[in-house]
Structures are given as C-alpha cells and as structure tokens.
C-alpha cells in the first residue's frame, strides 16, 4: 500500500480518537455505497455530522482543508444524502473538516465545524499531539 494511503488511514484514526474524546458518537467510518464515500459519520447533540479528514505530511503546499473545493462539497452532499437514505436517518446535519499536518514527531489537528457553508463563521479548534501511534512518520 502506498505511503499516502497509510498516512490517510492514520489521520482518520487520529480524527476518530479526537472526536470520541470530545463526546462525539461515531456512527460509521470509511462508509461506502457504490461510488459514494464518507470518512466519518458522527453524532452529537442531535446533529448528524459528516466529517471529511485531510491529512498531509507538511503544509508546504497549503493547508489540507484547502483541497476541499466546490466539486468536493457537491460530492460530500450527495454521499450524505445517500447515507441518510440508506440508513433511514432524518435529523439535522452539518459538514465538518478535520485537517492534520505532521510536524516531525508531532502533528497539528484543526477541527473546522460547519465548514462547507460559505456564509457561516465556522469555529476552528487547533490541537497538537505526538505521533506515537504511527512511528514510520518519524523519518
């Protein structure tokens, strides 16, 4: 498996751990239905939250969340609709982004809530942690 796939899986694991520690209930991860795909589906305070995780080994070429363009947002909304129909879920939802950048033996995680609404003043929380669970990142 390619190194970027390993990094992506590691980032999704870190994101799930972060969400659980912040009282989110993980309903699903790596959810797939045909060509629809969602990284994490969580629930908190009556909201269904679709979380897109972007992980990078550096921010040399920009922040990971900058990779989420209009086409990606459209794709995420289609996938979310497919999830809600298949799982028979009818509740308010939002789209969050968790971006992770490794920094030597540590990483920086940014949780951007309600990230896909252009008119929202989303909250960004930033955290730092150690890469203890993915030692091959310590090159």
């Amino acid at each position: 498996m390619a190194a970027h796939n390993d990094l992506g899986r590691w980032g999704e694991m870190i994101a799930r751990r972060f969400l659980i520690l912040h009282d989110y209930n993980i309903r699903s991860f790596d959810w797939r239905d045909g060509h629809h795909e969602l990284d994490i589906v969580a629930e908190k305070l009556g909201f269904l939250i679709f979380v897109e995780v972007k992980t990078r080994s550096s921010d040399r070429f920009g922040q990971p969340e900058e990779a989420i363009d209009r086409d990606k947002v459209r794709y995420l909304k289609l996938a979310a609709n497919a999830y809600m129909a298949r799982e028979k879920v009818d509740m308010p939802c939002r789209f969050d982004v968790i971006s992770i950048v490794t920094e030597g033996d540590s990483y920086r995680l940014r949780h951007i809530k309600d990230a896909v609404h252009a008119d929202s003043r989303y909250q960004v929380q930033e955290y730092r942690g150690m890469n203890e669970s993915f030692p091959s990142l310590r090159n």
Side-chain angles (χ1 to χ4, degrees):
M1 182 174 286
H4 72 276
N5 289 337
D6 289 342
L7 181 64
R9 289 191 199 287
W10 173 83
E12 289 178 13
M13 184 267 306
I14 293 294
R16 287 193 308 272
R17 182 190 306 174
F18 169 84
L19 291 169
I20 290 167
L21 288 172
H22 288 86
D23 299 322
Y24 288 76
N25 176 38
I26 305 297
R27 293 178 61 118
S28 185
F29 62 92
D30 289 334
W31 182 85
R32 288 177 171 70
D33 181 34
H35 64 276
H36 297 112
E37 191 175 317
L38 296 164
D39 291 339
I40 300 172
V41 181
E43 188 176 341
K44 185 174 182 178
L45 300 174
F47 278 86
L48 191 62
I49 303 152
F50 299 98
V51 182
E52 178 69 10
V53 180
K54 293 292 183 189
T55 308
R56 300 289 184 267
S57 57
S58 81
D59 59 3
R60 198 174 22 197
F61 300 108
Q63 297 303 313
E65 64 269 20
E66 293 170 2
I68 302 173
D69 59 12
R70 190 178 341 189
D71 289 337
K72 181 65 173 182
V73 169
R74 185 175 26 243
Y75 172 82
L76 289 171
K77 288 180 178 180
L78 289 171
N81 284 333
Y83 177 89
M84 293 177 80
R86 184 170 144 195
E87 302 298 323
K88 297 176 179 43
V89 177
D90 183 21
M91 58 195 304
C93 64
R94 73 173 198 238
F95 296 86
D96 290 6
V97 173
I98 291 182
S99 73
I100 301 170
V101 177
T102 62
E103 300 172 335
D105 285 346
S106 65
Y107 63 88
R108 185 187 70 235
L109 180 149
R110 296 180 75 206
H111 181 199
I112 305 166
K113 296 179 181 177
D114 202 18
V116 303
H117 291 107
D119 61 343
S120 73
R121 295 178 185 239
Y122 53 77
Q123 297 177 359
V124 178
Q125 295 174 307
E126 190 165 302
Y127 299 87
R128 295 190 180 272
M130 297 302 296
N131 285 341
E132 74 282 350
S133 60
F134 198 72
S136 65
L137 291 176
R138 298 180 188 181
N139 295 338

